[in-house]
Structures are given as structure tokens and as C-alpha cells.
Amino acid sequence: MENHHIRLTSSEVGGLWANYIADTMFVCVYKYYLAKVEDEEIKKVLMHALDIAQQHVEVVTKIFKEEGHAIPLGFTENDVNENAPRLFSDEFFLFYTKHMTKGALVTYGAVLSHTLMLD
């Protein structure tokens, strides 16, 4: 049985691109939060959120490279100052994480509906 490579559709590329930008932003946000958080339990949640965002960036980067697409610039360490004064409480860090997770799930669901699914 032959295995044919099916290229990404434009909506799939667009969804991956948008998620890449969002996840690179999350990496910056969580690095700042982790530099400021004091509560150890909240710190664990933030570390997990950072790990997930970094994994997403790695996976999407790999997909773009395999497909021969340009890698988006996204957000970088130049877009955040981890030494800036603390702006938010630990509780806000947790609140932000909860609501951004909900938003990400909605976004991933919307992207999935535009994905070509083959058996």
C-alpha cells in the first residue's frame, strides 16, 4: 500500500499559525509570571502551563519545517522583561491561566472543525 503525503490546507496552516503566535505569547507571559510568583502551588500550575505552551511551539515548528513553510516570528524574549516590577497577584496569575485555557480550548475546537480528517 502506497503512503501519499497530503499537504496542509490553507485553513490548517492558518490555524497552526494563529496557535503558534498565541503559544509564543503564552511562553513570554508565563516566564514573567514564574519570575514573580510566590505561592508554590500556583507556581506548579504556571510551570505546567509554560511546559504545554513550549511543547505546542515545538510541535508546530516541526510541522512547518516538514511542510516547507516559514516559521512565524511570534513573540520572543525581546517582548518581555522578566525583571520588570510585579504587576499582578499570584491569584491573578491563576485567574489568567484558567481563562486563557478556556479560550485556547475554544480556539483549538474551531481550528479542528476546519481540519481535513482522513482515516
Side-chain angles (χ1 to χ4, degrees), residues 10 15 18-19 27 34 41-42 45 47 71 77 83 97 111 116:
S10 60
N19 282 303
V27 168
L34 284 165
E41 292 300 311
I42 294 175
V45 173
M47 289 172 59
I71 308 298
E77 65 277 353
N83 298 314
T97 301
V111 169
L116 178 61

Side-chain angles (χ1 to χ4, degrees), residues 56-70:
H56 287 173
V57 170
E58 289 173 15
V59 168
V60 175
T61 299
K62 182 180 179 211
I63 291 169
F64 279 142
K65 285 181 179 178
E66 288 173 355
E67 291 294 316
H69 287 284

Side-chain angles (χ1 to χ4, degrees), residues 34-86:
L34 284 165
K36 304 301 175 197
V37 68
E38 296 170 356
D39 183 286
E40 287 301 317
E41 292 300 311
I42 294 175
K43 184 175 186 174
K44 290 176 188 175
V45 173
L46 300 177
M47 289 172 59
H48 183 66
L50 173 61
D51 183 53
I52 290 171
Q54 289 173 324
Q55 288 180 46
H56 287 173
V57 170
E58 289 173 15
V59 168
V60 175
T61 299
K62 182 180 179 211
I63 291 169
F64 279 142
K65 285 181 179 178
E66 288 173 355
E67 291 294 316
H69 287 284
I71 308 298
L73 177 58
F75 290 86
T76 70
E77 65 277 353
N78 296 326
D79 296 308
V80 65
N81 179 0
E82 295 174 29
N83 298 314
R86 181 184 177 109

